[in-house]
Amino acid sequence: MNIFIAEIKDNKAVLTEEESWHCARVLRKKAGENIRLIDGKGSFYDATIEVVNDKKTTAHISAGPFQQKIRPYTLHLAIAPTKNIDRIEWMIEKAVEIGIDEISFVQCKNSERTVLKKDRILKIVESAVKQSLQAFIPKVNELKPLKNFLSDVTADQKLIAHCFESQRQNIKEISFEGKTTLVLIGPEGDFTEEEVNESKKHNFRSLSLGENRLRTETAGLYVCQAASLLS
Amino acid sequence: MNIFIAEIKDNKAVLTEEESWHCARVLRKKAGENIRLIDGKGSFYDATIEVVNDKKTTAHISAGPFQQKIRPYTLHLAIAPTKNIDRIEWMIEKAVEIGIDEISFVQCKNSERTVLKKDRILKIVESAVKQSLQAFIPKVNELKPLKNFLSDVTADQKLIAHCFESQRQNIKEISFEGKTTLVLIGPEGDFTEEEVNESKKHNFRSLSLGENRLRTETAGLYVCQAASLLS
């Protein structure tokens, strides 16, 4: 059954304009048809279409809410966007499929990309949520300079993955369960030593992702899989 | 330092024609320059270029072999290629970055792709091996019908990931360490029940990759990350 994102109030659902267009124009749904809805906050609903058109589609809730099974961990990934935006976009798609709660983008000294279309990322996130049959839409934040991000962000544990030879904890030893973990992934060319030191001032611990040198986007996804597999 | 794939005999190295071209034309290396070589079997070497041209480049081994750290597991991934070949290609790149020993492609009832350019896959594998600073080149096999694959393949444990409600072991409970594990991933639209039953005759155990519905290529990569993280 097709899944649509909607705003739910009592037993009424209003699809977003984009979802209305998809429902009316692409899938050519008619009034009276049953659809499945998600509120983006973790709940599924069954509903029957009342009015369908490409600007505004409304539905009547027939069953639900059904809660998406809650993950035993909360993961916030902060990553420096790659020069080739496709690489970050597929990582986002996969990260959402595996399960992630919040995604931030940071601007580092070695970053080759200085702009990021948040709306485009959000579209990818929403379609991955629906494709993987989830009801929770991860939070996506705007690209901001690393320095500002470091001073603003909070989490139960804050980790920074880098390639400098130093006291780094292997990701296999990290416990993700029952806490909010923020993992920071650097750009192609890695963080600078200054950036790593700056993160230390904000209580970030150094993280190693193992023997092989991973691309930025591979590292980001590896962290998502680790949180999923190690909790 | 640039890494090249070469055939090593005693203290002589001969680069493949493709690597010679890359060395001579792209990187414009000259005789006397030092390069790093891999034999594709797990060993690194330092070498000095003797003759460099775009057809044949030879080098003199100055140090090595240095062995790539051996992974505590052996993973053979068999997957049904996706309709959109880009999705399989990036999965291959990432699987190699994370670490994999053998890759097979199977033709299933629901497969939308019936051809696969093995040479193109091999190029992606080799460049990912070099990019991630490894010395071992995974084996890549031709696409073959699932039935033939099932009857030909051997491994210490054989697992099939599918979405049918049945007695499935969660991947978190799989022990990868010290053994050869074969994991079979189905096409978009999954295996048919007949295919799953056929695999059972060949002692495949059913595998679950968790709550979320993963795309074929995400599932393939998730298995590689699991073997790496759970061993």
Side-chain angles (χ1 to χ4, degrees):
Chain A
M1 185 187 289
N2 302 103
I3 293 182
F4 301 94
I5 301 166
E7 200 167 294
I8 315 284
K9 274 216 186 78
D10 306 327
N11 59 359
K12 289 274 173 212
V14 180
L15 275 62
T16 61
E17 183 169 341
E18 199 182 336
E19 292 288 79
S20 295
W21 191 90
H22 187 68
C23 184
R25 290 294 181 89
V26 181
L27 300 165
R28 302 179 176 290
K29 294 282 180 190
K30 304 269 172 286
E33 286 189 54
N34 295 326
I35 54 177
R36 175 145 269 211
L37 302 175
I38 61 172
D39 62 1
K41 305 184 189 84
S43 297
F44 297 93
Y45 298 83
D46 291 332
T48 308
I49 297 174
E50 288 172 338
V51 181
V52 56
N53 70 57
D54 54 15
K55 285 267 170 288
K56 187 178 179 188
T57 297
T58 61
H60 177 87
I61 304 296
S62 55
F66 311 104
Q67 297 301 324
Q68 175 181 338
K69 194 178 171 201
I70 292 170
R71 285 186 293 271
Y73 61 92
T74 304
L75 180 63
H76 178 179
L77 183 72
I79 190 163
T82 50
K83 184 180 180 186
N84 172 351
I85 194 66
D86 295 352
R87 293 186 166 272
I88 274 295
E89 289 183 354
W90 81 243
M91 189 220 75
I92 298 291
E93 177 186 283
K94 301 312 164 199
V96 172
E97 282 181 60
I98 300 301
I100 189 164
D101 299 275
E102 187 170 356
I103 304 163
S104 296
F105 300 98
V106 291
Q107 178 88 48
C108 303
K109 187 157 185 309
N110 292 335
S111 292
E112 294 196 62
R113 167 170 296 276
T114 58
V115 289
L116 189 81
K117 293 204 183 81
K118 182 184 162 184
D119 292 354
R120 192 178 150 84
I121 299 291
L122 258 177
K123 280 205 179 79
I124 292 164
V125 165
E126 290 179 356
S127 95
V129 164
K130 294 192 288 179
Q131 194 276 335
S132 54
L133 308 180
Q134 299 183 73
F136 173 79
I137 299 174
K139 183 163 185 275
V140 177
N141 302 315
E142 295 280 1
L143 178 66
K144 65 159 87 166
L146 179 64
K147 208 171 181 359
N148 308 7
F149 179 80
L150 289 174
S151 48
D152 298 349
V153 74
T154 60
D156 298 334
Q157 61 181 349
K158 299 188 282 187
L159 306 168
I160 180 169
H162 60 79
C163 301
F164 295 106
E165 285 312 326
S166 72
Q167 279 285 330
R168 291 179 298 162
Q169 192 173 12
N170 188 292
I171 192 160
K172 292 183 189 182
E173 298 152 13
I174 303 294
S175 132
F176 291 91
E177 196 155 351
K179 55 176 84 104
T180 300
T181 302
L182 165 68
V183 182
L184 192 48
I185 303 288
E188 292 129 323
D190 206 357
F191 294 107
T192 64
E193 224 156 341
E194 294 64 32
E195 288 172 328
V196 173
N197 294 337
E198 180 67 22
S199 76
K200 296 252 186 296
K201 293 183 198 156
H202 297 280
N203 308 314
F204 276 73
R205 277 151 48 211
S206 289
L207 181 69
S208 159
L209 300 181
E211 297 294 323
N212 302 347
R213 181 175 70 178
L214 305 182
R215 288 175 179 274
T216 292
E217 73 278 8
T218 315
L221 188 58
Y222 193 61
V223 166
C224 299
Q225 317 251 38
S228 165
L229 287 160
L230 302 176
S231 64
Chain B
M1 186 187 289
N2 302 104
I3 294 182
F4 300 95
I5 302 166
E7 199 168 294
I8 315 283
K9 275 216 186 82
D10 306 329
N11 58 359
K12 289 273 172 211
V14 180
L15 275 61
T16 62
E17 184 169 337
E18 198 182 337
E19 291 288 80
S20 295
W21 191 90
H22 188 68
C23 184
R25 290 293 181 89
V26 182
L27 300 166
R28 303 180 175 288
K29 294 283 182 189
K30 303 269 172 286
E33 287 189 55
N34 296 324
I35 54 176
R36 174 145 269 207
L37 303 174
I38 61 172
D39 63 1
K41 304 183 189 84
S43 296
F44 298 93
Y45 298 83
D46 291 332
T48 307
I49 298 175
E50 287 172 339
V51 181
V52 56
N53 70 57
D54 54 16
K55 285 264 168 291
K56 188 180 178 188
T57 296
T58 61
H60 178 87
I61 304 296
S62 55
F66 312 103
Q67 297 300 323
Q68 176 182 336
K69 194 177 171 202
I70 293 170
R71 286 186 292 271
Y73 61 92
T74 303
L75 180 64
H76 178 180
L77 183 73
I79 190 163
T82 50
K83 185 181 180 185
N84 172 352
I85 193 66
D86 294 352
R87 293 185 166 273
I88 274 296
E89 289 184 352
W90 81 241
M91 189 219 76
I92 298 290
E93 177 186 283
K94 303 309 165 202
V96 172
E97 281 181 60
I98 301 300
I100 189 165
D101 299 277
E102 187 169 356
I103 304 162
S104 297
F105 300 98
V106 291
Q107 177 88 49
C108 303
K109 188 157 184 309
N110 292 335
S111 291
E112 296 196 61
R113 167 169 297 276
T114 57
V115 288
L116 189 81
K117 293 205 182 79
K118 183 185 162 184
D119 292 355
R120 192 178 150 84
I121 299 291
L122 258 177
K123 280 206 179 77
I124 292 164
V125 165
E126 290 179 355
S127 93
V129 163
K130 293 193 289 178
Q131 193 276 336
S132 54
L133 307 182
Q134 299 182 73
F136 173 80
I137 299 174
K139 183 164 185 274
V140 177
N141 302 316
E142 294 281 0
L143 178 66
K144 63 160 83 167
L146 179 63
K147 208 173 183 353
N148 308 7
F149 179 80
L150 288 174
S151 49
D152 298 348
V153 74
T154 60
D156 297 335
Q157 62 181 347
K158 297 188 283 186
L159 307 168
I160 180 169
H162 60 78
C163 300
F164 295 107
E165 285 312 326
S166 72
Q167 278 285 329
R168 291 179 298 163
Q169 192 173 11
N170 188 291
I171 192 160
K172 292 183 188 181
E173 298 152 12
I174 302 294
S175 129
F176 290 91
E177 195 155 352
K179 55 177 84 106
T180 299
T181 302
L182 166 68
V183 181
L184 193 49
I185 303 288
E188 293 129 323
D190 206 356
F191 294 108
T192 64
E193 227 158 336
E194 294 64 33
E195 288 173 328
V196 173
N197 294 337
E198 180 67 21
S199 76
K200 296 249 186 298
K201 293 183 196 156
H202 297 281
N203 308 314
F204 276 73
R205 278 151 48 210
S206 289
L207 181 69
S208 160
L209 300 180
E211 297 294 323
N212 301 347
R213 181 175 69 177
L214 304 182
R215 288 175 179 273
T216 292
E217 72 279 9
T218 315
L221 189 57
Y222 193 62
V223 166
C224 299
Q225 317 251 40
S228 165
L229 287 160
L230 302 176
S231 63

